Amino acid sequence: MSSFLTTTTVGISANILTKSPLSSSFFSPPHCTSTNYHLLKPHRSISVRAVTSSSHAKTDDVSSENPDSWMKLRLLIACPWEHVRKGSVLKMELRGQITDQLKTSFFSGLSLPQICENLIKAAYDPRISGVYLQIETLNCGWGIIEEIRRHILDFRKSGKFIVGYAPIWGEKEYYLGCACEELYSPPSAYFSLYGLTVQAQFLGGVLEKVGVESQVQRIGVYKSDGDQLTRKNISKENHEALTTLLDNIYENWVDKISQAIGKKKEEIESFINEGVYQIEKLKEDGWITDIIYDDEVTSMLKIKLGISSEEMLPVVGYKKYSRVKKWTLGLSGGSDEIAVIRASGSISRVREPFSSSNSALLLNNLLRRFTRQEVYSRYKAVIIRIDSPGGDALASDLMWREILQLAKSKPVIASLVDVAASGGYYMAMAAGTIVSENLTLTGSIGVFSGDCPQGRIWTGNDAASRGLVDAIGGFSRAVAIAKQKANIPQDKQVTLVELSRSSPSLPEILMETALEQLVNGIGLTSSDDVQARMDDIRF
C-alpha cells in the first residue's frame, strides 16, 4: 500500500509517494563482512543456440568448439580491431546514463542498441566464453532497463555463463543483476532495496510571496504540466495518476524478482518492508550469490575457464567488442530491409541555447529522415523508436503528419522506449502499430483530445488494456510485427538500416564536450524518478 508524505518549507511544497511502509527510512552503509564461499557452476561445453527473441536470430546451432568453416573464414579476414582472443569474457560496465541513441565516435557513454547488440553477438561468437556485467547506479527509465534485462535472459539461453557484480545498487540495478546466472557484491556495497518513491515539487507558495501570479491554460483534468507553478500541493487527479504508476512499477518489480530468485511475492514484500541494512542478510536470504570483491570474481572466472591464477583473464571490453561486425559472426540480415528511425528527446523546432545534441528531437532533422526518397521506395517497413516526453505543439503536429503520410505507403511500427507522452505519443498515433514496454510511460495528450485519457499518463500494460498501444514488447517485437505487416516470413532474416542523424559539426562537438565537463565538474545528476519525467511533459 502506498504511503503519502507532504512537507512544506518557505512556500515550497514537495509531495512524495512511496511504495513501502518505511517511507521515512534513511539510507546507511551496510556493515562489512568477508567470506570465500562461492556458488559458481563448473564450466560446461555446450552448443550455442539461437537467441529466439532477437531480430538477428539464426535458425541453426553454432558450436563454440567447432565453428563452421564460413565463420572461421570471416573471423580470419576480420579487421585487426575486430580480433578477439578465443575464450575471452565480454566485460561491460553498466553505469550512469543509457540512451536509445546511437553513439558516435565523438562521444562516450552507453547506448542501448549497442549493449543489446553486444549481448546478441556474444551469444553466437565462438570466441566468447561468457559475460561479466559490472552494474552500478543507472540513470535511465524502466523501459530501457526492461530491454536490457530481456537480452540478459536471452543470452542465458546460449548456455554460456553471465555473471553480475554490483557494488552500488538500488531497485533498477538489482532488477538487472538478478537476471544474471550469479550476482555478487563486495562486503562494503551500498544498496537500497527499500521500495519506490515518486515526488512532485510545487512553487505556488514561493511565487505568491514575491507577488507573481502564474496563468496556465490546459485541457484535461490529469494534465499536470504547469501545476508546479500554480499549486501549493498535489491535485487529486495527479495524486491518482502517480499512485497508479507507482503501484504498476512496484508490482512488476516484485513479480519479476519473484520469478528470478524463486521467492514468493509475499516474502519479497516482507523483506523490503523490514528495511534491511546489512548485506549479510541479502546473502543469507538468497538475494545475492555471495559477498566477495571484484578480483575474487575474476579469480573464480579463471577457475571456471581452466586458466591458471598467474595468467591474465582474457577480457574484451564494451567499446572494443562494439567494433566487431555482425557479418563476421554470420548475423548479417537478408535482402529485405527495414529502416530504423530513432526519435529521442524533447520535441523542438530549433535547437535551444546550451542544449545537448542528444537532448532534443529537432523537427528538421527528423523530417529529413522521413522524406528521403529511399524511405518510400527501398525499405519494406519502418520502425520508429520513440523516447520523448513531448515538447513544441507545432513540431509535434508536423512530425505526426509526416509519419501518417509514410504509413499510407508502407508498414510503420512505433516502438516506445522509456517515455512516449504528450507530443511523443501523438507521433506514435500516426503509426499503424504501437509496441510498448511494460513500464513505458505512455499517453498524456490532454491538450490534443479531451477524450484520450484526459491528459493522463499510463504504464505500458495499462495503456494496452485501454487500447493506447497494440502490443507489449521491445525492439525485437517491433521487428517481428514489421515483418508480419510487410509479408516477410518470420524465419527469414532482414537487414535493419539505421537512419541515424548526421555527424555533428565542430561547434556542436565543442558545446557537447563543454556541457558534459560542466555537469560532471559540479556533480549534477539527473533524477530518475517518475515525476521528474512527467514535470517536463508538455504538448
Side-chain angles (χ1 to χ4, degrees):
M1 181 177 181
S2 301
S3 61
F4 183 55
L5 174 66
T6 303
T7 59
T8 304
T9 306
V10 195
I12 301 180
S13 176
N15 293 107
I16 304 175
L17 301 174
T18 304
K19 189 60 184 180
S20 170
L22 296 176
S23 58
S24 59
S25 299
F26 293 97
F27 296 170
S28 62
H31 297 291
C32 298
T33 184
S34 61
T35 178
N36 294 320
Y37 179 73
H38 65 85
L39 297 174
L40 264 175
K41 299 178 177 66
H43 176 61
R44 296 172 293 175
S45 177
I46 189 168
S47 63
V48 180
R49 297 192 62 84
V51 184
T52 55
S53 72
S54 167
S55 60
H56 305 283
K58 299 165 72 175
T59 57
D60 58 317
D61 291 351
V62 181
S63 171
S64 58
E65 277 70 36
N66 298 297
D68 62 79
S69 57
W70 283 110
M71 185 178 292
K72 282 184 178 179
L73 178 60
R74 287 189 290 262
L75 293 174
L76 183 64
I77 64 177
C79 298
W81 52 84
E82 294 185 66
H83 289 174
V84 175
R85 177 179 168 184
K86 187 174 182 180
S88 292
V89 174
L90 171 59
K91 183 177 180 180
M92 295 197 294
E93 299 175 353
L94 304 182
R95 65 163 66 93
Q97 186 177 26
I98 302 177
T99 71
D100 193 57
Q101 293 280 18
L102 296 174
K103 292 295 182 182
T104 68
S105 58
F106 295 102
F107 305 114
S108 59
L110 294 174
S111 163
L112 174 65
Q114 197 59 67
I115 292 172
C116 296
E117 182 177 293
N118 279 356
L119 289 172
I120 291 170
K121 292 186 298 187
Y124 287 103
D125 195 335
R127 304 167 299 178
I128 299 295
S129 297
V131 173
Y132 182 26
L133 295 180
Q134 290 192 324
I135 307 170
E136 294 192 27
T137 305
L138 295 169
N139 180 18
C140 60
W142 285 98
I144 286 178
I145 296 291
E146 195 77 54
E147 184 90 50
I148 298 175
R149 189 176 191 273
R150 183 183 302 112
H151 278 77
I152 292 174
L153 295 175
D154 284 342
F155 178 85
R156 292 184 61 174
K157 298 174 186 176
S158 71
K160 301 179 180 183
F161 68 81
I162 181 165
V163 174
Y165 180 78
I168 301 175
W169 45 279
E171 284 75 17
K172 287 181 180 178
E173 294 74 24
Y174 185 75
Y175 192 69
L176 287 183
C178 71
C180 296
E181 193 174 357
E182 287 104 12
L183 177 61
Y184 300 93
S185 288
S188 54
Y190 289 95
F191 68 94
S192 55
L193 293 180
Y194 308 122
L196 303 173
T197 297
V198 59
Q199 66 182 23
Q201 293 184 339
F202 303 96
L203 303 175
V206 172
L207 298 178
E208 184 180 278
K209 288 180 180 294
V210 296
V212 175
E213 179 185 358
S214 297
Q215 296 179 341
V216 177
Q217 294 183 350
R218 63 185 179 186
I219 299 176
V221 296
Y222 290 98
K223 197 72 174 178
S224 61
D225 190 32
D227 279 4
Q228 64 269 33
L229 298 177
T230 60
R231 297 187 62 91
K232 300 178 182 178
N233 51 33
I234 196 167
S235 68
K236 179 186 68 175
E237 293 81 10
N238 197 13
H239 183 279
E240 176 190 346
L242 293 182
T243 300
T244 301
L245 286 177
L246 195 64
D247 288 342
N248 287 344
I249 295 172
Y250 180 75
E251 289 166 8
N252 177 83
W253 189 88
V254 170
D255 183 63
K256 295 292 179 63
I257 299 301
S258 173
Q259 298 174 28
I261 64 177
K263 291 182 178 293
K264 296 180 179 178
K265 296 179 182 179
E266 295 77 13
E267 294 180 86
I268 295 174
E269 291 181 334
S270 176
F271 186 89
I272 292 176
N273 292 338
E274 288 177 13
V276 178
Y277 296 93
Q278 296 183 346
I279 196 168
E280 299 97 321
K281 183 69 171 173
L282 297 177
K283 176 186 172 182
E284 292 172 6
D285 288 5
W287 288 75
I288 60 176
T289 307
D290 202 356
I291 305 172
I292 56 176
Y293 289 99
D294 172 45
D295 63 294
E296 294 177 292
V297 176
T298 300
S299 297
M300 291 195 305
L301 293 179
K302 289 182 182 179
I303 296 173
K304 186 179 183 71
L305 298 177
I307 300 173
S308 67
S309 59
E310 291 78 19
E311 294 182 74
M312 293 288 291
L313 179 71
V315 169
V316 57
Y318 166 82
K319 289 185 178 180
K320 180 177 181 179
Y321 198 66
S322 296
R323 294 195 289 267
V324 173
K325 299 294 187 292
K326 293 180 291 184
W327 176 85
T328 61
L329 303 171
L331 296 175
S332 55
S335 57
D336 292 323
E337 295 181 324
I338 296 176
V340 180
I341 298 176
R342 299 184 184 273
S344 300
S346 298
I347 301 172
S348 177
R349 284 170 289 165
V350 295
R351 173 78 47 82
E352 297 291 340
F354 306 109
S355 67
S356 164
S357 61
N358 287 330
S359 65
L361 177 54
L362 300 181
L363 173 63
N364 289 338
N365 287 355
L366 191 64
L367 290 184
R368 279 197 296 267
R369 301 178 205 172
F370 281 111
T371 55
R372 288 164 58 172
Q373 182 58 36
E374 61 190 279
V375 175
Y376 281 84
S377 60
R378 173 178 170 181
Y379 304 114
K380 298 289 186 178
V382 176
I383 296 175
I384 310 171
R385 288 281 284 178
I386 298 178
D387 191 10
S388 173
D392 184 272
L394 174 59
S396 301
D397 183 58
L398 296 178
M399 291 179 183
W400 169 84
R401 187 178 185 279
E402 203 59 54
I403 297 172
L404 190 65
Q405 293 295 102
L406 179 61
K408 293 178 181 178
S409 64
K410 63 178 67 268
V412 177
I413 314 300
S415 175
L416 313 185
V417 190
D418 273 344
V419 56
S422 216
Y425 181 72
Y426 183 33
M427 290 168 52
M429 289 174 61
T433 304
I434 303 177
V435 183
S436 169
E437 291 286 0
N438 285 326
L439 300 178
T440 299
L441 301 184
T442 309
S444 185
I445 312 185
V447 172
F448 173 71
S449 172
D451 295 328
C452 181
Q454 290 280 13
R456 180 166 175 175
I457 197 167
W458 309 92
T459 56
N461 276 331
D462 278 354
S465 67
R466 288 163 173 80
L468 297 179
V469 302
D470 301 295
I472 295 296
F475 184 65
S476 57
R477 183 72 186 277
V479 173
I481 294 174
K483 283 184 176 182
Q484 179 188 15
K485 298 290 185 181
N487 297 317
I488 301 174
Q490 290 297 321
D491 59 354
K492 184 178 181 181
Q493 292 190 6
V494 296
T495 297
L496 301 177
V497 182
E498 294 273 357
L499 303 184
S500 58
R501 66 183 179 87
S502 58
S503 299
S505 63
L506 180 60
E508 287 179 326
I509 295 171
L510 296 176
M511 177 63 73
E512 184 102 4
T513 303
L515 285 173
E516 289 181 356
Q517 292 178 346
L518 175 62
V519 171
N520 294 333
I522 61 179
L524 292 177
T525 58
S526 298
S527 173
D528 60 356
D529 60 55
V530 176
Q531 184 61 25
R533 286 274 192 176
M534 295 183 63
D535 276 345
D536 290 332
I537 294 172
R538 60 190 190 280
F539 183 63

